[in-house]
Amino acid sequence: MTRIDATFARLRAEGRKAFVSYIMGGDPDQATSLAVMKGLPAAGVDIIELGMPFTDPMADGPTIQLAGQRALEAGMTMDRVLDMVRDFRAGDATTPIVLMGYYNPIYSRGVDRFLAEATEAGIDGLIVVDLPPEEDDELCIPAQKAGINFIRLATPTTDDRRLPKVLQNTSGFVYYVSITGITGAAAAQATDVGPEVARIKAKTDLPVIVGFGITTPEAARAIASVADGCVVGSAIVKDIGAGKPVAEVLANVAALAKGAHSA
C-alpha cells in the first residue's frame, strides 16, 4: 500500500473528502517554495502535488506557466525538486507527494535513473500530462513496478469508449479535469462535474479527485461534495506569484482545505 492508498483509506474511515494542493517546485525560489511545502500538511492538505518546472507547459494557463518561468529563472532543476522532497521527508514521512509535469525532463534524465531517484527521495505518485495510455510502457508500467502510483487524467472529452483505456493502468486516484482547456481558465461547476464523476466511479474503484477551476473555499466544498476530493493549484500559485508572505499563503490554503473537508 502506497502513502496515497493509505491516505484515502484513512479519509474514508474518517468520512472526509481529500484536499489536494499543487505548488510549482522552486517558485519563486527554492527556499520559499520549500517553506510553503512544509506548511501544507498543517494547513489541512492531504496530498501535495509538486510541479516539475518545464519550458513548454502546454496544459497550463498563464498563472502556472509564469510559476514555472520564475522557478527556472531562479535556477530550479530536477535535482533541486528532488532535494526539496528529501528535505520535506526529513520531517514528514506520511504526507503523499505526487510529482506533476511533463515527460521531457524525465526522458532526458533517463526513466530508470529518474524512478530510482524519485523512490529514494520519497515520491509516491506521478502525473505526466503528455503521456497517453498508448505510451504506458514508457513510464507508467516501470513506475508502478517501482512502487510509484501513476495517476491518469480524465476530462470532459473522455467518452465511454476511451475511458477504459484511460483507467487501464491508473493507480492511486483518477484526476478528473473539470473543464475543457488550460489550468486556471474557468470555474468548475458541481452540477456539471457530479454526473461525470459518477460515470467514472462506475468503471473503477479508485478515488476520483477533481481539479481545474477551483479557487474558493465554497467551490472546494461544492466540488468535493460530488467527488472524493478536490485539487487547488492556480489559486495557491497566484498568491505565491503575488509575493504574499508564506504565512498568508498557508492561511488561504487552510481556508480552501476547510471548505473541502466540510463537504
Side-chain angles (χ1 to χ4, degrees):
M1 180 180 281
T2 65
R3 289 187 187 95
I4 294 171
D5 299 330
T7 294
F8 280 111
R10 173 179 57 80
L11 289 169
R12 276 194 300 272
E14 295 172 356
R16 291 198 303 133
K17 301 300 181 73
F19 181 69
V20 183
S21 69
Y22 170 95
I23 62 169
M24 178 65 72
D27 174 36
D29 55 69
Q30 187 171 345
T32 305
S33 187
L34 182 59
V36 172
M37 186 180 180
K38 286 183 173 181
L40 292 174
V45 172
D46 299 302
I47 298 172
I48 297 169
E49 288 179 4
L50 184 63
M52 301 177 283
F54 180 50
T55 53
D56 188 21
M58 61 184 182
D60 295 310
T63 299
I64 291 179
Q65 283 191 24
L66 288 169
Q69 288 177 16
R70 288 191 298 267
L72 291 169
E73 287 167 5
M76 204 61 186
T77 62
M78 180 70 80
D79 283 331
R80 290 185 172 185
V81 170
L82 293 172
D83 282 343
M84 281 182 63
V85 176
R86 293 184 187 99
D87 202 329
F88 178 89
R89 281 280 171 247
D92 186 322
T94 57
T95 304
I97 300 172
V98 176
L99 284 184
M100 185 170 186
Y102 299 85
Y103 186 44
N104 185 282
I106 297 170
Y107 176 79
S108 62
R109 195 173 193 83
V111 167
D112 291 344
R113 177 188 172 192
F114 169 78
L115 289 175
E117 292 174 343
T119 303
E120 175 271 325
I123 294 299
D124 304 290
L126 295 173
I127 300 174
V128 182
V129 300
D130 55 348
L131 270 185
E134 286 74 15
E135 306 296 335
D136 274 357
D137 288 341
E138 284 281 326
L139 180 62
C140 174
I141 303 301
Q144 311 250 38
K145 287 179 179 176
I148 295 176
N149 288 133
F150 198 87
I151 295 143
R152 187 81 68 195
L153 303 179
T155 75
T157 60
T158 306
D159 61 21
D160 287 337
R161 191 170 63 174
R162 179 66 174 167
L163 185 59
K165 188 75 173 175
V166 169
L167 297 174
Q168 185 174 276
N169 292 312
T170 299
S171 64
F173 60 92
V174 179
Y175 188 134
Y176 179 67
V177 177
S178 64
I179 56 174
T180 303
I182 54 175
T183 58
Q189 301 297 327
T191 51
D192 298 330
V193 168
E196 290 297 296
V197 170
R199 182 171 68 91
I200 295 167
K201 288 180 75 66
K203 303 290 186 183
T204 181
D205 293 330
L206 291 171
V208 179
I209 304 300
V210 177
F212 285 47
I214 302 165
T215 59
T216 66
E218 295 73 24
R221 183 184 304 112
I223 295 297
S225 72
V226 298
D228 295 301
C230 67
V231 185
V232 176
S234 292
I236 300 168
V237 172
K238 197 170 285 184
D239 279 351
I240 294 169
K244 293 184 178 180
V246 170
E248 186 177 345
V249 172
L250 292 172
N252 290 341
V253 171
L256 289 158
K258 188 175 180 182
H261 289 150
S262 66

